[in-house]
Amino acid sequence: MKTFEFQHAVTVDGAICSVLDSGGAFLAGGTNLVDLMKNGVAQPPALVDIRHLGLTSVTATASGGVRIGAGVSNSALANHPLIRTQYPVLSQAILSGATTQLRNMATVGGNLLQRTRCPYFMQIEFDQCNKRVPGSGCAALEGFNREHALFGASEHCVAINPSDMAVALTILDAVVCTQGPDGVRQIPIAQFHTLPGDAPQHENCLLPAELIVAVELPPSPYASHSWYLKLRDRRSYAFALVSAAVGVEVVDDVIASASVALGGVAAKPWRVPAAEQILVGSRPDDSVLRAAAQRAMADARPLSQNAFKVQLGRGAVHRALARALELTR
Ligand code: SF4
C-alpha cells in the first residue's frame, strides 16, 4: 500500500478543508476504500477520519419523515425502530448485504459511495478499465460480463453499482444532504449516481471535497406493502445479480401509488416508472404484477454473458410485488 497522511477531523468544516487542501479522501467505515487502497486501485495522498463528527443519529423530522446521519452504521440503521416500522424495505435491503461485521463498520454515506466490483476494475493487473484508467478501454465488453449492466451502459463501461441500500432509498425518494466548499446541497437520490457515458471514472455528482452529511426520507406510503428481493449466486455475502425494491400503496383494494427499482443492473439504482404506471389504478392481481414485471425488463440490453439476468429481473419484480401485496408467502 502506498503511504498516506492520516488526519482526524473534529468538525465538518475542518474535514472539508482537510480534504480540499490535501487532495485526499474522507474515511468513515473504510470497508471499501481500504480494500481498494490495499490492492492499489485507490491511492489517496491523505485520509481524513470523519468518524467523530457527530453524524450518527437517526431522528424523526417535523414533516413525518426521518433524517439519517451519514455516519450511522448500516447495522444501526437496519435495526432502528423508525426504519423497521416505517421503512421496512430499507431494513431488508441493508440486511441482505455483506456480513454482520461489515455492516457494523460500514456507514450510510460510505454505502452510497461504494465502487463497482467489476473484476477488471478491482485488479490492477488488468490493463483495460476506463473507470480505473480513463482511456484504457473496457475489458468487460468482450470479457467476463455475466454480472454487468442491462440498462444505461455505454461503450466505455458496463459496470454496475453494487449497493442494496441505494435501491431501497430510490423507491423511498431519499434526498442526499451534502456540505462542501461551496455550501450545502440536497440531491434527490435519482440524480446522485451518474451513468458512465464517456467518463465512467465519475460515478456520482459530488464535487471535490463535498461530504455527505445525511440522508433524508420523506414520509413513506409503503410501510405496509413493500419488499426487497435479492437474487445472487449464493445466499449470503454476495452481490446481487439482480434485485428488486418495490413499494405499493393500496386504497380500497386499488393500487394508489407504486414504486419499483432494480439493483445490480446499471451504474445506478434503476427506477422503472413504466412498470409503476401499469400498477397504479389496477387491482392487485397476479396478471397485473406479471405485466409490470415484464415491462420493468422490456428495455434491457444484455451483453454477451448476462441475458439470463433479464429473466431473473422479471422474476424478482414479480415475486417482490407478490410479497409486498401478500399474494404469496
Ligand atoms: Fe472497467 Fe467499467 Fe469496463 Fe469494468 S465495465 S472493465 S469497471 S470500464
Side-chain angles (χ1 to χ4, degrees), residues 114 116 131 148-153 157-162 192-197 200 202-204 264-270:
Q114 62 177 304
T116 187
K131 188 182 285 295
H148 289 65
L150 297 174
F151 301 95
C157 182
V158 292
I160 59 159
N161 183 304
F192 182 77
H193 296 102
T194 53
L195 294 177
H202 302 303
E203 300 176 336
N204 57 63
V265 296
K268 60 189 293 183
W270 197 255

Side-chain angles (χ1 to χ4, degrees), residues 83-153:
I83 302 303
R84 292 181 74 95
T85 56
Q86 300 303 307
Y87 308 93
V89 67
L90 181 55
S91 282
Q92 285 179 327
I94 293 170
L95 294 174
S96 75
T99 61
T100 302
Q101 291 86 345
L102 283 168
R103 291 193 296 268
N104 288 345
M105 288 293 292
T107 63
V108 170
N111 192 316
L112 286 174
L113 298 178
Q114 62 177 304
R115 310 296 304 273
T116 187
R117 269 40 174 216
C118 172
Y120 304 108
F121 172 76
M122 295 288 289
Q123 297 173 45
I124 59 173
E125 292 75 18
F126 292 111
D127 295 331
Q128 287 191 319
C129 176
N130 285 323
K131 188 182 285 295
R132 181 164 41 78
V133 184
S136 63
C138 173
L141 283 175
E142 302 296 330
F144 177 83
N145 58 36
R146 76 182 282 275
E147 299 170 355
H148 289 65
L150 297 174
F151 301 95

Side-chain angles (χ1 to χ4, degrees), residues 19-181:
V19 167
L20 197 61
D21 292 345
S22 66
F26 298 114
L27 176 74
T31 55
N32 187 208
L33 176 59
V34 173
D35 274 354
L36 294 172
M37 290 174 68
K38 284 179 181 172
N39 61 17
V41 174
Q43 299 186 331
L47 288 183
V48 178
D49 182 354
I50 57 170
R51 289 174 294 175
H52 306 289
L53 302 183
L55 304 175
T56 53
S57 59
V58 178
T59 49
T61 61
S63 65
V66 64
R67 181 178 171 93
I68 303 159
V72 173
S73 76
N74 286 187
S75 292
L77 183 60
N79 293 308
H80 194 283
L82 265 178
I83 302 303
R84 292 181 74 95
T85 56
Q86 300 303 307
Y87 308 93
V89 67
L90 181 55
S91 282
Q92 285 179 327
I94 293 170
L95 294 174
S96 75
T99 61
T100 302
Q101 291 86 345
L102 283 168
R103 291 193 296 268
N104 288 345
M105 288 293 292
T107 63
V108 170
N111 192 316
L112 286 174
L113 298 178
Q114 62 177 304
R115 310 296 304 273
T116 187
R117 269 40 174 216
C118 172
Y120 304 108
F121 172 76
M122 295 288 289
Q123 297 173 45
I124 59 173
E125 292 75 18
F126 292 111
D127 295 331
Q128 287 191 319
C129 176
N130 285 323
K131 188 182 285 295
R132 181 164 41 78
V133 184
S136 63
C138 173
L141 283 175
E142 302 296 330
F144 177 83
N145 58 36
R146 76 182 282 275
E147 299 170 355
H148 289 65
L150 297 174
F151 301 95
S154 76
E155 60 182 326
H156 302 284
C157 182
V158 292
I160 59 159
N161 183 304
S163 173
D164 296 296
M165 185 190 79
V167 186
L169 290 178
T170 295
I171 69 159
L172 297 170
D173 290 322
V175 174
V176 182
C177 306
T178 70
Q179 185 172 333

Side-chain angles (χ1 to χ4, degrees), residues 267-278:
K268 60 189 293 183
W270 197 255
R271 185 103 180 237
V272 273
E276 297 166 4
Q277 287 167 14
I278 289 174

